[in-house]
Amino acid sequence: MRVLFLTDKYYPRPFANAVCAQNVARSFVEAGHEADVIAFDDPFESLPSELDDVRVHGVRPDERLKLFYLASDLPSDKKAKAAMAVFRSLNFVSRLSNWTRYPLASKALAQRIANLAISLHRAKPYDCLVATCCPVECIEAAVRVRACLPDIPLFAYCVDYIPNTLRRHISEKKQASASEYWVNRIGHNFDYVIGMAFEEGWYRSSYAAASRARVLIGDLPLLSDVFTATDYTTTVSGDWVYAGSLSRGHYNPVPAMETFSWLSAHGIVGSAIFHIVGRGDLARLCREWEVRTGGVIQFHDYMTHNDLERMYDNASVLVSMKCSDQISAKLFEYMAQEKPLLHFSEHSEDPDRQYVDRYRLGLTVDVLDGEPEVWGLQVAGWLSAIDGISLPPGWTSEFEKNRPSYTRDLILSHIHAGSCDF
């Protein structure tokens, strides 16, 4: 079996969707199959030619994305702010020129992806093509591949929920129109849509009338298939760690900092420190809290992967937060540490909480109501309850859909079933 994945910004600095694509592709290789990935070249970070025995092929992005990559890869560089400003202008113009297909920004990029996929297939045929969504350029590329190669099975791997991608930028009327356009385009041209479990109802209802595509339900493939128990026993007096984005609109660190400060002031967490590692427009606020608390809260602008792993090893509590309705891949990285996971939820439709609530060392604090004392007392009770316990063997079975092998086997079973008209 040979499988081709289409995705966007890849390793060594991948976006979340590329991580999902790579995990599933690697799972194919581990099962004795072949997997290739087409990803966007980053002019500032060379793509590997191969990663975990998955072959990687680069495609040139447009100038708009090059500027975005500069701003993403070098956020502290003086040029980054200017690059982001120019990117936003070009992004607006690009999407305006493709207004009827929003959020498509580059038809030329979609065509380059399609051309490379067709060339690779003709050199050595693939058994199926899996296009991640978003970006929709990958979806559009797969549609163009279908026009040239009508017999290759197409899977739309929708790790992004289309309405969420749209609603941050445009009116409700345009959201509905754009969502309908892409649902119809996928439903008419793809054989299968792999939707995420946290929005299963939307996927099934939206594609119910699809002329071709059938809906399959998976989930973010971010828990390892080869899982080694750590034999970790919880201790509640150690440091807290948050590592991730500090971008306004999605992540608000204030309730977590307020709660930890209250716990520290009342002697509940002893001499523990709350480490915050991240970048974003709220980083300055975290620095201010470091000064205000005399170092009880400590902010780290940048940390190498090895240093972050050591911080995870030394932590007693891993902290998550969300103030929007988009899921966080970080949750599964945390759960893989087998340590207590404390989630601060500030949105009525926060999808993260359903995973935290199923995790046996997890607690969700709803910060839409209450105040630091209320949240602190809730956390204090939780810390007391979990002190000295560990996760039972086989706990990951509760998250079966989050293993890469689940999505791999989902794809394999529907190709082998021969249920498509190829």
Side-chain angles (χ1 to χ4, degrees):
M1 181 69 63
R2 299 190 73 243
V3 183
L4 176 63
F5 289 81
L6 310 182
T7 191
D8 55 351
K9 192 174 188 296
Y10 198 68
Y11 291 83
R13 296 176 185 260
F15 287 170
N17 291 358
V19 173
C20 292
Q22 170 63 18
N23 285 355
V24 179
R26 181 177 59 244
S27 184
F28 270 93
V29 172
E30 290 170 349
H33 305 286
E34 295 182 44
D36 287 14
V37 167
I38 292 178
F40 298 175
D41 276 321
D42 184 338
F44 310 101
E45 292 279 1
S46 299
L47 286 176
S49 59
E50 189 175 276
L51 181 63
D52 298 328
D53 295 321
V54 175
R55 290 178 293 269
V56 183
H57 310 273
V59 65
R60 177 174 56 85
D62 55 340
E63 296 304 315
R64 171 189 62 94
L65 285 179
K66 289 180 182 178
L67 289 165
F68 184 70
Y69 293 166
L70 171 62
S72 300
D73 292 346
L74 306 170
S76 60
D77 192 283
K78 293 180 179 180
K79 299 177 183 178
K81 186 176 291 186
M84 182 59 74
V86 177
F87 159 75
R88 286 172 176 156
S89 297
L90 288 178
N91 197 47
F92 176 78
V93 172
S94 298
R95 286 178 166 170
L96 188 64
S97 65
N98 294 294
W99 188 242
T100 58
R101 295 186 175 188
Y102 187 89
L104 183 74
S106 177
K107 295 177 183 176
L109 174 56
Q111 190 61 55
R112 286 196 295 275
I113 299 169
N115 290 344
L116 179 55
I118 292 167
S119 175
L120 292 170
H121 177 80
R122 286 176 171 164
K124 190 175 181 182
Y126 295 103
D127 295 284
C128 75
L129 185 152
V130 182
T132 58
C133 180
C134 290
V136 293
E137 278 77 7
C138 291
I139 294 296
E140 181 64 23
V143 171
R144 297 181 183 208
V145 169
R146 164 126 288 163
C148 185
L149 304 171
D151 293 335
I152 187 169
L154 297 186
F155 289 77
Y157 188 25
C158 297
V159 287
D160 271 332
Y161 167 50
I162 289 176
N164 274 355
T165 303
L166 299 171
R167 70 173 56 140
R168 301 191 303 275
H169 309 291
I170 56 178
S171 68
E172 289 186 7
K173 182 178 179 180
K174 183 58 185 175
Q175 289 169 26
S177 174
S179 182
E180 182 181 6
Y181 173 83
W182 287 106
V183 166
N184 288 339
R185 194 147 182 79
I186 293 171
H188 178 71
N189 291 283
F190 282 75
D191 302 292
Y192 295 103
V193 178
I194 302 177
M196 300 294 103
F198 53 89
E199 288 294 349
E200 179 175 356
W202 181 86
Y203 284 105
R204 294 205 183 280
S205 62
S206 297
Y207 289 93
S211 59
R212 182 177 186 124
R214 291 176 51 195
V215 172
L216 309 174
I217 298 298
D219 211 334
L220 298 178
L222 298 172
L223 277 183
S224 174
D225 285 314
V226 182
F227 209 89
T228 303
T230 61
D231 295 326
Y232 172 80
T233 300
T234 61
T235 56
V236 300
S237 58
D239 292 351
W240 291 17
V241 173
Y242 170 79
S245 174
L246 293 167
S247 299
R248 193 184 307 273
H250 295 290
Y251 307 96
N252 177 16
V254 173
M257 293 190 293
E258 289 178 335
T259 302
F260 187 83
S261 295
W262 187 91
L263 290 166
S264 181
H266 288 79
I268 297 171
V269 291
S271 59
I273 293 171
F274 182 11
H275 296 279
I276 299 177
V277 185
R279 291 174 172 175
D281 49 14
L282 294 175
R284 180 179 296 178
L285 180 65
C286 296
R287 290 191 186 96
E288 293 172 358
W289 272 79
E290 180 173 0
V291 175
R292 183 188 307 178
T293 62
V296 170
I297 293 171
Q298 293 185 9
F299 174 72
H300 309 265
D301 178 65
Y302 174 76
M303 188 169 288
T304 66
H305 180 73
N306 288 339
D307 287 342
L308 184 59
E309 286 293 324
R310 282 193 288 271
M311 186 166 282
Y312 283 158
D313 288 342
N314 294 327
S316 285
V317 176
L318 301 177
V319 178
S320 173
M321 58 191 73
K322 183 51 67 70
C323 55
S324 72
D325 56 359
Q326 293 196 30
I327 195 167
S328 300
K330 177 66 67 175
L331 292 177
F332 302 96
E333 180 182 341
Y334 280 173
M335 284 191 281
Q337 304 293 322
E338 296 191 313
K339 291 192 173 187
L341 169 54
L342 178 58
H343 180 62
F344 291 87
S345 179
E346 201 173 354
H347 195 284
S348 60
E349 296 181 13
D350 172 9
D352 291 349
R353 62 187 307 158
Q354 64 178 285
Y355 296 94
V356 177
D357 292 347
R358 284 161 49 203
Y359 178 60
R360 298 188 188 188
L361 293 179
L363 174 70
T364 296
V365 178
D366 188 344
V367 294
L368 285 171
D369 298 308
E371 57 187 2
E373 180 178 359
V374 174
W375 309 330
L377 289 170
Q378 183 183 359
V379 173
W382 170 69
L383 290 173
S384 178
I386 65 171
D387 191 19
I389 70 171
S390 58
L391 290 168
W395 67 269
T396 58
S397 62
E398 299 178 34
F399 300 90
E400 180 187 13
K401 287 186 173 69
N402 296 109
R403 296 171 183 258
S405 59
Y406 184 91
T407 300
R408 176 200 71 203
D409 292 344
L410 199 62
I411 294 170
L412 285 172
S413 64
H414 285 83
I415 293 175
H416 289 159
S419 54
C420 299
D421 297 326
F422 304 133

